[in-house]
Amino acid sequence: KSSISSMKTDALSLVILFVAASFLFSCKPKQAPEEPMQALQETPTKNVIRSIPSYEFSDTVKVGSHTYRYSIQREADKDLPIVTDDMGDRYYDNVYQLSISRDGTSYFSQRFTKSNFSDHLNRDFRKYAILDGFRFNRAEDGLLYFSVCVSYPESDMIAPFILTVASDGSSSIQKDDSLDGEDE
């Protein structure tokens, strides 16, 4: 009997000890709830002004007995008005420098911005587009032809042009109607 009685006392002591410990831990002062981990957020892009990378391209073309060397340089121009698209993204407009020499002698050098083409652009293209592309097209009858593009940034909405440079250094700009580009 004494061993059973002793076991009951030991079990009762353990239960009392367990209840007391539970009571003590439940009375512990409550800490502020832990803040949930927040996901890292990307830096808002509305404050970023995007730009197309700068580049330079040079090549030569033989026209009759003359060798023409042209150089096209592009860079974002931070002095031009910033263009904002319909999503609120902002872009620097570009400036292109075209330099041409004939048989080693420079005869044409001009800086082009979107304003050079503004007479051929509707109001929305003047406001929301950038000077986006400039490349050599062909040489024909003593003239050098360059394809130029004004477009909405990162879109296929374009206004294509042909820039013609004559052997006397004069130039002209006309809309390129061979492409179905501008959505008027």
Side-chain angles (χ1 to χ4, degrees), residues 54-125:
S54 299
Y55 84 88
E56 180 176 348
F57 180 79
S58 296
D59 202 0
T60 58
V61 62
K62 186 89 167 155
V63 181
S65 63
H66 298 290
T67 300
Y68 292 87
R69 180 161 186 79
Y70 64 88
S71 172
I72 301 169
Q73 298 174 330
R74 174 186 65 208
E75 63 183 47
D77 190 331
K78 296 178 180 176
D79 294 330
L80 293 173
I82 292 171
V83 173
T84 304
D85 69 10
D86 57 353
M87 299 296 289
D89 293 323
R90 300 178 329 152
Y91 297 84
Y92 287 115
D93 205 339
N94 300 306
V95 60
Y96 284 84
Q97 177 69 42
L98 174 63
S99 301
I100 306 172
S101 65
R102 179 180 48 239
D103 301 324
T105 304
S106 178
Y107 83 97
F108 183 87
S109 183
Q110 186 172 341
R111 180 180 186 264
F112 290 93
T113 65
K114 181 174 61 182
S115 67
N116 293 99
F117 305 90
S118 64
D119 290 346
H120 305 283
L121 297 171
N122 69 30
R123 182 179 51 87
D124 286 345
F125 266 81

Side-chain angles (χ1 to χ4, degrees), residues 154-180:
E154 300 182 39
S155 101
D156 59 359
M157 297 277 295
I158 65 169
F161 297 94
I162 296 291
L163 167 69
T164 306
V165 179
S167 59
D168 65 357
S170 62
S171 66
S172 65
I173 295 171
Q174 61 191 24
K175 209 142 175 174
D176 185 356
D177 295 323
S178 67
L179 294 176
D180 184 28

